[in-house]
């Protein structure tokens, strides 16, 4: 009997599944998509009902040929691709390519790669879901039409090589709009006034001024704060009202894709792309020692919070045994998924909660363990009871003023015993604005602050008054977590696309990341402004969300994909035609300045280039002189004409002035003698980090006889001719130990990744190298010319002999040897 062919996307998934199916199956990987719209043309026949023209992806021809051969030799074909739109589309393309084999084709779906789930899926195979395929095809064609029609327009008007996209451009607009908000924000001064008070029993506590004469207090400046202090300095502080209430904090649902990306960014510092890569590894299978490989988590592309009944039963048993009956709610918590979520999927959870992170630590990489722990903790916590707190609020009267102190004490940790969700930063606002928004007096609640025993009417002792100045802060820039959150809340894109969106806008030079935050480049802002003006409908947040809803309706069978294509393209073609005429041509725009070209004396003009605006000679191409324009560059002054303090430095190589420039990766200092001198210096956080000045030595250059100096370069310190760039002779810096092979001096060097090593200065003639630093101290036991400086993980230093078979070792400066360090 012929074996059945099983096709999955990746070799890792194939390896895991193969162990579950036995000898009657052959499992092969398609390596992802095998067919797609070709890159070099639109490949969508707009005139004939948007017929797509698919072809085998370049480089996948051998894979397809191998699958066809295997299909002909098999009894049946099982498509075990991922259980989402993309997986369904991959399965459909595979079925189309394998039609010639004339073998029955089955679709199998499983949400986790475990023996039970896989065998259950193969016991009940189904068919390819044509509606999912149509929804994916609609998205693909929609994105192709927008990208391939808008991008050439931007090439013509702005710069070749840039791109636009139906979703990526809207995501970029969020970043640009936020940057405009920040620029427009006017910071406002405000003050707060806290009183340090003592009751009859400890501890002392802090109360904040919240009302004066029954009105919410506003302290706009120092004068108002001082007046408030003066009014309270000699006042009697009396407890007017005490209330204690129990508050609950409920657990959060198990992860969906977007929330996993957000939390991994907050807690682990993972970018969305990395989160999905590591999650894919955990899903596809991990070898657990002598056990068979198994998927550790359920499918990681999901927007559903549903959890299978057997998983709930398992985790409840675990919680009861591990934490006790108090930590097990009477009924399992059920979480509501977002509108339009695919309830056929489950939330992201461990395939078995019994595989504790500590138990699988030895088999996982550091990143895999960190993400698995996050998923495991969140899932367990989601099935635990709320945390309970006693929140006590004390209203304290002092003359015409009212102060408020709030204390919170945890009475029962509940789910917080296992997991607490991370938070995003919020802008600072005056206390009265916070109180007006939440309608409560708990705006100043201090976590876990304990108030002393008090009674109403009790007089309190004033220990100190603390007025403090604040300024309102603009909304924070988006980071990975907050941008994904915003996209999700607005319904822009889908969880499976967020990682790709974030990667594209960074790779296209539209944004840069500084301290984990997205800042739009000048190019990014120009592109958004042009698109918003010429394609306002496409760039609307609501319209993009509406298109996502339409794609969901296609999958649900409520809409026809071709009808949606016609509806969209009817308007899009009209907008495109108008934009070709009306869109501003940035390339052709020139802004006159009063600057003069240093080479020919002609006027300089401001032009647009790859990294933004710059000064260029107006006679170009006759004269090709250019100069950097300051970042604020409104007056046409060049960076050379008005150098910053950091830029007022001489080039270490030729002595000419260094000028501040801005490139793809941020600001840097460059020699004004470019291109004759190409010296550049990185600028970190806007501050120049200049190399130390050259150090004189007694050595002479072997080429010209001039003195050699010690310089610091990208890969560490080195010897260089003092006449550089006239003479470019360089040598490695000796460390006082000779090579045991060729007797040339050993030198300290660095690999391309920055790791220090010690190698022969005669390289490549001699390739001798050591990771540990050689010390010019002979071995008293075997006579070796040097010892090696070895460091343990605890930071202890030992000098040990490098000769094989010699175990001599001692502490630095110690006369007697110590035990040899572990290798």
């Amino acid at each position: 009997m012929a074996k059945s062919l099983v096709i999955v996307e990746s070799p890792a998934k194939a390896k895991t599944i193969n162990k579950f199916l036995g000898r009657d199956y052959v499992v092969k990987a398609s390596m992802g998509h095998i067919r797609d719209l070709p890159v070099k043309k639109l490949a969508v026949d707009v005139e004939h009902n948007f017929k797509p023209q698919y072809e085998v992806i370049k480089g996948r021809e051998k894979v397809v040929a191998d699958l066809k051969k295997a299909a002909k030799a098999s009894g049946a074909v099982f498509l075990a691709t991922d259980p989402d739109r993309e997986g369904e589309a991959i399965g459909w393309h595979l079925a189309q390519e394998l039609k010639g084999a004339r073998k029955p084709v089955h679709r199998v779906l499983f949400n986790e790669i475990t023996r039970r789930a896989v065998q259950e899926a193969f016991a009940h195979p189904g068919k390819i879901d044509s509606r999912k395929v149509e929804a994916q095809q609609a998205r693909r064609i929609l994105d192709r039409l927008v990208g391939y029609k808008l991008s050439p327009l931007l090439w013509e008007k702005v710069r070749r090589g840039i791109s636009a996209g139906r979703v990526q451009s809207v995501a970029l607009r969020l970043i640009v709009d936020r940057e405009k908000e920040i620029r427009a924000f006017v910071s406002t001064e405000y003050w707060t006034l806290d009183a340090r008070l003592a009751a009859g029993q400890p501890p002392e506590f802090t109360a904040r001024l919240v009302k004066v004469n029954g009105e919410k207090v506003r302290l706009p400046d120092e004068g108002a704060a001082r007046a408030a202090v003066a009014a309270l300095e000699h006042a009697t502080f009396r407890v007017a009202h005490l209330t204690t209430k129990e508050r609950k904090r409920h657990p959060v649902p198990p992860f969906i894709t977007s929330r996993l990306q957000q939390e991994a960014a907050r807690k682990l510092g993972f970018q969305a792309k990395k989160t999905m890569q590591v999650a894919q590894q955990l899903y596809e299978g991990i070898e657990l020692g002598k056990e068979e490989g198994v998927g550790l988590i359920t499918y990681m592309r999901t927007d559903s919070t549903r959890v299978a009944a057997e998983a709930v039963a398992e985790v409840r048993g675990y919680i009861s045994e591990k934490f006790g009956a108090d930590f097990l709610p009477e009924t399992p918590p059920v979480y509501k998924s977002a509108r339009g979520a695919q309830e056929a999927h489950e939330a992201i959870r461990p395939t078995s909660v019994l595989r504790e992170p500590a138990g699988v630590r030895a088999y996982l990489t550091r990143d895999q363990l960190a993400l698995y722990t996050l998923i495991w903790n969140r899932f367990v916590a989601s099935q635990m009871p709320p945390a309970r707190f006693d929140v006590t609020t004390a209203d304290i009267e002092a003359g015409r003023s009212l102060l408020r102190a709030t204390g919170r004490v945890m009475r029962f940790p509940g789910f917080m015993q296992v997991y607490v969700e991370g938070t995003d930063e919020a802008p600072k606002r005056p206390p009265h604005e916070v109180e007006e928004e939440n309608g409560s007096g708990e705006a100043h609640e201090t976590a876990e602050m304990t108030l002393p025993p008090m009674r109403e009417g009790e007089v309190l002792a004033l220990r100190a008054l603390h007025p403090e100045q604040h300024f309102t802060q603009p909304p924070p820039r988006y980071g990975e977590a907050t941008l994904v959150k915003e996209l999700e809340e607005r319904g822009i894109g889908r969880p499976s696309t967020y990682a790709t969106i974030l990667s594209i806008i960074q790779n296209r030079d539209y944004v840069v990341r500084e301290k984990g935050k997205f800042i739009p480049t000048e190019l990014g802002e120009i592109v958004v402004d042009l698109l918003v003006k010429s394609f306002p409908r496409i760039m609307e947040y609501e319209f993009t969300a509406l298109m996502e809803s339409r794609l969901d309706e296609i999958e649900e069978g409520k809409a026809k994909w071709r009808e949606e294509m016609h509806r969209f393209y009817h308007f899009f073609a009209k907008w495109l035609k108008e934009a070709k005429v009306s869109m501003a041509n940035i390339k052709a725009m020139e802004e006159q300045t009063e600057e003069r070209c240093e080479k020919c004396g002609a006027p300089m003009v401001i032009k647009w280039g790859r990294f933004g605006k710059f000064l260029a000679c107006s006679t170009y191409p006759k004269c090709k002189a250019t100069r950097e324009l300051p970042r604020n560059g409104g007056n046409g002054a060049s960076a050379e004409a008005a150098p910053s303090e950091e830029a007022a430095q001489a080039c270490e190589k030729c002595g000419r002035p260094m000028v501040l420039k801005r490139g793809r990766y941020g600001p840097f200092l460059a020699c004004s003698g470019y291109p004759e001198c190409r010296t550049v210096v990185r600028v970190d956080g806007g501050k120049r980090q200049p190399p130390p000045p050259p150090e004189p030595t007694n050595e002479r250059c072997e080429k010209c006889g001039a003195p050699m100096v010690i310089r610091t370069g990208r890969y560490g310190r080195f010897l260089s001719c003092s006449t550089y760039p006239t003479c470019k002779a360089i040598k490695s810096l000796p460390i006082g130990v000779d090579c045991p092979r060729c007797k040339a001096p050993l030198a300290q060097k660095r690999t391309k990744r920055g790791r220090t090593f010690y190698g022969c200065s005669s390289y490549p003639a001699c390739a001798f190298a050591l990771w540990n630093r050689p010390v010019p101290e002979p071995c008293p036991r075997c006579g070796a010319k040097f010892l090696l400086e070895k460091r343990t993980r605890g930071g202890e230093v030992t000098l040990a002999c490098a000769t094989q078979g010699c175990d001599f070792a001692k502490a630095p400066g110690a006369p007697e040897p110590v035990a040899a360090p572990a290798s």
Side-chain angles (χ1 to χ4, degrees), residues 372-597:
Y372 180 68
T373 302
L374 195 67
I375 294 168
W376 190 93
N377 287 345
R378 173 103 166 199
F379 174 63
V380 173
S382 73
Q383 297 300 313
M384 296 174 75
R388 297 196 301 272
F389 301 87
D390 281 347
V391 178
T392 301
T393 302
D395 284 350
I396 300 159
E397 291 179 346
R400 297 178 301 166
S401 301
L402 179 71
L403 295 89
R404 182 165 293 150
T406 304
R408 190 181 76 161
V409 179
M410 180 183 286
R411 294 304 180 195
F412 175 66
F415 77 96
M416 294 177 72
Q417 183 85 0
V418 176
Y419 177 85
V420 179
E421 188 177 33
T423 57
D424 298 311
E425 63 179 304
K428 290 183 179 179
R429 295 180 294 164
H432 65 268
E433 290 185 11
V434 178
E435 290 190 5
E436 287 168 1
E437 182 177 292
N438 65 23
S440 75
E442 295 170 20
H444 314 299
E445 176 181 321
T446 304
E448 305 306 314
M449 185 180 84
T450 304
L451 296 180
M454 290 183 285
R455 65 182 186 280
E456 293 184 1
E458 181 178 352
V459 176
L460 306 173
L462 175 65
R463 295 287 188 251
L465 290 170
H466 298 289
E468 186 175 357
Q469 183 186 38
H470 308 273
F471 292 92
T472 55
Q473 299 296 313
R477 292 186 173 105
Y478 289 111
E480 289 244 347
T482 50
L483 184 58
V484 167
K485 182 179 180 181
E486 189 74 15
L487 291 169
E488 180 190 25
E489 289 179 351
R490 290 180 180 268
I492 298 170
R494 280 293 176 262
S496 59
T497 66
Y498 294 152
T500 304
I501 293 168
L502 269 55
S503 295
I504 288 175
I505 61 177
Q506 293 176 80
N507 295 339
R508 296 290 187 270
D509 299 334
Y510 290 151
V511 300
V512 293
R513 282 169 60 98
E514 288 186 12
K515 297 181 180 179
K517 302 297 182 183
F518 292 121
I519 303 174
T521 61
E522 195 169 5
L523 175 63
E525 294 193 37
I526 288 286
V527 167
V528 166
D529 290 343
L530 291 176
L531 292 177
V532 168
K533 189 172 182 179
S534 297
F535 299 91
R537 186 74 171 138
I538 289 179
M539 294 294 287
E540 280 181 3
Y541 302 128
E542 295 78 10
F543 178 76
T544 308
L546 176 63
M547 292 306 299
E548 295 295 343
S549 298
R550 293 279 170 81
L551 293 171
D552 291 340
E553 289 175 2
I554 293 169
E555 181 174 340
E556 295 163 6
K558 298 177 182 177
K560 303 293 184 182
W561 77 271
R562 282 193 167 89
E563 290 179 5
E564 295 301 326
M565 292 299 102
H566 281 289
R567 183 181 291 111
F568 169 80
Y569 197 74
H570 171 74
F571 295 102
F572 179 63
K574 178 184 175 184
W575 300 330
L576 192 65
K577 185 177 180 181
E578 293 172 352
K580 287 180 179 178
V581 178
S582 62
M583 183 180 280
N585 190 336
I586 303 299
K587 278 185 178 180
M589 291 175 65
E590 290 186 358
E591 192 176 332
Q592 300 298 320
T593 75
E594 297 179 0
E595 291 291 308
R596 290 283 170 177
C597 176

Side-chain angles (χ1 to χ4, degrees), residues 20 27 54 77 93 229 236 307 312 363 400 410 481 485 591 682 712 787:
F20 300 151
V27 186
Y54 294 112
V77 177
H93 284 294
V229 169
T236 299
V307 177
V312 172
Y363 312 107
R400 297 178 301 166
M410 180 183 286
K485 182 179 180 181
E591 192 176 332
R682 292 186 62 182
T712 302
L787 299 176

